[in-house]
Amino acid sequence: MSDPTVESAPSNFIRNIIDADIESAKHQQVVTRFPPEPNGYLHIGHAKSICLNFAIAQDYPDAVCHLRFDDTNPGKEKSEYIEAIKEDVRWLGFDWGDSLHHTSDYFEQLYAYAVQLVKQDQAYVDSLSAEDIRLYRGNLTEPGKDSPYRNRSVEENLELLEKMKTGEFAEGEHLLRAKIDMAAPNINMRDPAIYRIKNMSHPMTGDTWHIYPMYDFAHCVSDAIEGITHSLCTLEFEDHRPLYDWFLEQLQTPARPQQIEFSRLNLDYTIMSKRKLHELVEGGFVDGWSDPRLPTLSGMRRRGYTPAAIRDFCSRIGVTKKDNIIEMSVLENSLREDLNTTSSRALAVLDPIKLIIDNYPDDQEEMLTGVNHPKDPEMGHRDVPFSKVLYIERSDYMADAPKKFFRLSEGREVRLRFAYYVTCTHVVKDEQGEVLEVHCTYDPETRGGKSADGRKIKGTIHWVSAQHAVTAEVRMYDRLFTIPAPASEKERDYKEFINPESIQVLKGCQLEASMAGAEKRAYQFERQGYFCLDSVDSSADALVFNRIVSLRDSWAKKK
RNA sequence: UGGGGCGUGGCCAAGUGGUUAAGGCACGGGGUUUUGAUCUCCGCAUCCCAGGUUCGAGUCCUGGCGCCCCAGCCA
């Protein structure tokens, strides 16, 4: 396994349990698993679980983490998702080695275990309708009551189960249930379903089965079969733990995995529910699963997030049982920290306005040197062409600017990054009063951006030479929702809170010449943020960049 | 009002009866700086409430209060 190993994984209550289990010699080897259902794409919430499980496998001697597709419901699952999930896990930097499994690999064993339960008179075939089963289950405060089919003989149950298996019944006609206690205070223990009839072919097993196991039965047994020692899942499964343990106890499985629950990740200004993500994708509210605004791993990848940043984020947020909503700034901080050290710099003008240096010779051009990283000389430097007519950012000029505005305004001098000091003399406007051109004079003695007299220049702005610039489209992304917790909105639909400005497309952006050869990696456009080529829409003759994240901007905050 | 969980600063999170309650993010302020970036320094809580046990409690006990999850032949 690669990089992740070097990162320090902070301790948490789960690791404390594992430490104690090793200390007490309950286990010699730790085995975890990441068990996605292939019914959608992975998101940052899954990354939390992936990092937890795989990092444990990296940190404990001889430990392993299995990747297991929980494919027990052919009605919802597709192999398309399996491939996407594998790609995402790999991209995050983890390796399941030869531990790739599917719950469907165990269908035969699962069935044998079900037969065993029937033989032990701990499971029965119910023939109530779905509606009646619901009625018989009772509710939160009232106990349920026994199904009239609850006391069928073992022989009859065996016979019916076999027929269910071979497809002799229609869906919904029968159901295999555990015989536990219809009056249990925990509703999960009120004779939960074990197998339901689904006359459907399965991506992995084709048409061999007409019945498919339910999660509660399949998951614990699969864990036991694989010798999982610690089965980590989210809080909503807490109530299922007694059932998890019940199955393994009745079946007397050799291995007894321990289920431990932790709280799922919530991030503000976005949604994490698979159902809602499906809805956004299928409803065309976003551009597919890999829309850069989505918290899906494929979306974040396209946006330009790095695996290292996501791993760092996951280790910072911790693992507990407390409900939480993490602020986006934590994620962005992890991102910026990584991007700051790894990305080389470039000058790019997103909202261009012409800057004309009146005392610079008309036909002259020269090559200046730009450092690729201000703190890392190893990243080298590059040539940046300079000439009389430049583009600068529209927001870098202001008439009647306040004292603290360290940019251009009539009479003020600024430094053009890597180039010269220029002083604004006047501007040219159109009939509407829009500024068309900013005119300046430059000081030839300040080549490279420094002066012999040591005069202090407070402001440095970026620029590109108009005749050398390459034009590009730049997509600026912002939070997908306008409120911090769209998912917990009770009165209104979360889709009403989609941020209409979550994507802003800028055309005609002017980038420094070297960007014509931009590679598939992140760049910092100085003073603006981190950007990368869009993997889908960018081409050599029509560059499209995504803004991964902006730079911190204490000036904007102050205003 | 059945069952299961959770409650330490704005958001996370250490803390497992005994120094002035770690750390990160955010926020406020100072310094450095050819990115108002980076870097750096400083500031920023008595632990949901109320009783109790103890020489000593965020950590133990009792009673409240608040929030989350569960009534799929989904996972």
Side-chain angles (χ1 to χ4, degrees):
Chain A
M1 224 162 282
S2 54
D3 293 341
T5 324
V6 301
E7 290 152 21
S8 64
S11 194
N12 56 54
F13 81 100
I14 292 176
R15 282 172 176 257
N16 291 342
I17 291 171
I18 295 176
D19 289 342
D21 287 346
I22 288 175
E23 178 74 18
S24 70
K26 179 179 176 185
H27 299 295
Q28 275 70 50
Q29 184 199 14
V30 174
V31 185
T32 56
R33 107 265 92 117
F34 173 61
E37 182 189 14
N39 68 341
Y41 281 64
L42 262 26
H43 54 62
I44 181 83
H46 293 108
K48 174 178 180 178
S49 175
I50 292 169
C51 290
L52 208 213
N53 282 291
F54 279 95
I56 285 171
Q58 290 174 348
D59 294 348
Y60 288 84
D62 302 319
V64 292
C65 178
H66 296 187
L67 173 61
R68 182 170 77 231
F69 288 99
D70 209 354
D71 55 352
T72 57
N73 186 353
K76 290 189 174 174
E77 298 146 6
K78 292 186 201 154
S79 10
E80 167 204 348
Y81 296 129
I82 292 191
E83 290 315 309
I85 289 169
K86 286 191 207 164
E87 183 186 0
D88 286 344
V89 174
R90 250 185 252 115
W91 175 72
L92 258 192
F94 297 104
D95 181 3
W96 53 86
D98 53 7
S99 303
L100 175 64
H101 307 279
H102 301 76
T103 301
S104 57
D105 297 340
Y106 314 129
F107 278 176
E108 289 294 347
Q109 292 167 81
L110 254 357
Y111 184 75
Y113 274 124
V115 168
Q116 181 186 335
L117 282 178
V118 173
K119 287 181 177 163
Q120 291 171 185
D121 197 26
Q122 287 171 318
Y124 63 98
V125 173
D126 199 350
S127 305
L128 245 26
S129 67
E131 171 67 4
D132 283 338
I133 284 181
R134 190 172 60 76
L135 262 19
Y136 275 71
R137 184 154 36 225
N139 56 41
L140 294 183
T141 51
E142 294 164 28
K145 56 184 183 192
D146 290 0
S147 161
Y149 301 99
R150 198 174 198 259
N151 289 315
R152 285 214 255 233
S153 68
V154 168
E155 292 65 33
E156 186 183 3
N157 283 323
L158 249 18
E159 200 173 306
L160 285 167
L161 177 59
E162 178 64 24
K163 287 181 176 170
M164 283 167 65
K165 180 193 177 197
T166 52
E168 296 190 28
F169 301 117
E171 291 185 14
E173 226 176 306
H174 303 287
L175 179 72
L176 184 71
R177 294 228 260 169
K179 191 185 281 190
I180 306 180
D181 177 7
M182 287 307 291
N186 180 343
I187 294 179
N188 293 304
M189 300 301 271
R190 319 238 262 230
D191 291 10
I194 297 177
Y195 267 100
R196 76 290 216 185
I197 298 170
K198 271 186 186 289
N199 289 310
M200 238 174 229
S201 77
H202 185 282
M204 299 298 290
T205 60
D207 295 319
T208 68
W209 294 88
H210 291 87
I211 55 173
Y212 293 95
M214 300 293 292
Y215 167 85
D216 283 311
F217 178 66
H219 204 88
C220 58
V221 173
S222 299
D223 281 346
I225 290 172
E226 293 182 13
I228 302 299
T229 54
H230 302 269
S231 181
L232 315 181
C233 63
T234 43
L235 251 30
E236 67 272 26
F237 292 102
E238 218 148 14
D239 292 344
H240 295 242
R241 186 169 5 108
L243 183 52
Y244 185 106
D245 293 336
W246 187 88
F247 279 125
L248 298 186
E249 176 62 23
Q250 307 316 312
L251 264 11
Q252 287 293 301
T253 55
R256 297 297 173 83
Q258 178 186 5
Q259 173 178 304
I260 305 172
E261 311 84 12
F262 63 94
S263 53
R264 59 193 319 150
L265 166 67
N266 295 291
L267 253 187
D268 63 5
Y269 295 99
T270 190
I271 45 148
M272 221 59 98
S273 118
K274 260 191 190 180
R275 204 207 95 233
K276 293 190 175 79
L277 288 170
H278 265 282
E279 199 175 10
L280 290 181
V281 170
E282 281 146 23
F285 295 95
V286 296
D287 179 24
W289 286 100
S290 63
D291 186 298
R293 293 168 293 178
L294 254 21
T296 54
L297 294 181
S298 54
M300 295 173 79
R301 177 164 60 237
R302 180 172 172 191
R303 168 87 166 250
Y305 273 80
T306 61
I310 293 175
R311 277 184 249 121
D312 179 60
F313 169 72
C314 288
S315 76
R316 284 182 199 230
I317 57 176
V319 178
T320 67
K321 292 174 79 91
K322 200 172 83 172
D323 288 328
N324 61 77
I325 302 182
I326 310 288
E327 292 175 347
M328 198 60 96
S329 63
V330 181
L331 213 207
E332 291 179 343
N333 180 72
S334 292
L335 222 207
R336 290 190 182 112
E337 202 165 274
D338 182 36
L339 261 19
N340 178 47
T341 63
T342 58
S343 56
S344 52
R345 319 282 128 136
L347 302 183
V349 177
L350 304 184
D351 183 14
I353 180 176
K354 269 189 179 155
L355 179 140
I356 298 165
I357 304 171
D358 293 316
N359 62 338
Y360 193 87
D362 286 355
D363 302 324
Q364 184 171 313
E365 51 184 85
E366 57 189 304
M367 274 302 179
L368 300 171
T369 300
V371 295
N372 290 334
H373 191 113
K375 300 220 162 151
D376 183 0
E378 305 236 316
M379 292 182 75
H381 44 77
R382 64 192 189 282
D383 290 336
V384 189
F386 184 85
S387 62
K388 182 185 182 80
V389 180
L390 313 176
Y391 286 114
I392 61 166
E393 212 66 59
R394 184 172 298 276
S395 57
D396 282 338
Y397 164 82
M398 185 190 280
D400 305 317
K403 186 96 175 64
K404 290 281 195 182
F405 183 79
F406 306 137
R407 308 180 190 181
L408 285 171
S409 193
E410 281 80 351
R412 295 198 192 180
E413 185 173 45
V414 303
R415 171 166 38 234
L416 295 177
R417 172 128 248 229
F418 310 135
Y420 294 96
Y421 294 177
V422 294
T423 302
C424 178
T425 54
H426 64 286
V427 299
V428 175
K429 300 178 180 174
D430 64 12
E431 304 83 67
Q432 283 76 248
E434 275 289 295
V435 176
L436 252 28
E437 299 172 346
V438 176
H439 285 256
C440 293
T441 56
Y442 85 117
D443 178 352
E445 301 305 307
T446 58
R447 191 174 199 273
K450 48 188 173 292
S451 63
D453 63 7
R455 97 185 87 118
K456 281 277 179 257
I457 297 294
K458 194 74 175 137
T460 299
I461 67 173
H462 59 281
W463 53 274
V464 313
S465 165
Q467 60 173 303
H468 301 95
V470 319
T471 303
E473 172 179 321
V474 176
R475 297 171 181 173
M476 309 287 270
Y477 297 106
D478 196 0
R479 46 182 61 143
L480 223 204
F481 293 92
T482 55
I483 57 174
S488 32
E489 194 61 34
K490 300 269 186 277
E491 304 297 308
R492 297 212 268 153
D493 186 79
Y494 71 98
K495 293 193 292 301
E496 292 179 38
F497 298 97
I498 292 177
N499 179 5
E501 294 173 355
S502 58
I503 177 170
Q504 192 189 350
V505 177
L506 267 29
K507 306 213 186 233
C509 302
Q510 303 295 320
L511 321 187
E512 69 168 62
S514 72
M515 282 293 96
E519 296 167 32
K520 194 185 151 196
R521 44 182 299 233
Y523 293 89
Q524 184 197 98
F525 291 172
E526 296 205 18
R527 302 211 301 139
Q528 316 213 74
Y530 298 95
F531 298 77
C532 68
L533 288 174
D534 184 78
S535 54
V536 177
D537 295 327
S538 190
S539 63
D541 52 340
L543 298 177
V544 178
F545 281 87
N546 293 321
R547 182 175 70 186
I548 310 169
V549 64
S550 69
L551 248 32
R552 274 201 192 81
D553 189 349
S554 58
W555 168 245
K557 212 174 298 170
K558 213 167 274 184
K559 283 190 296 184

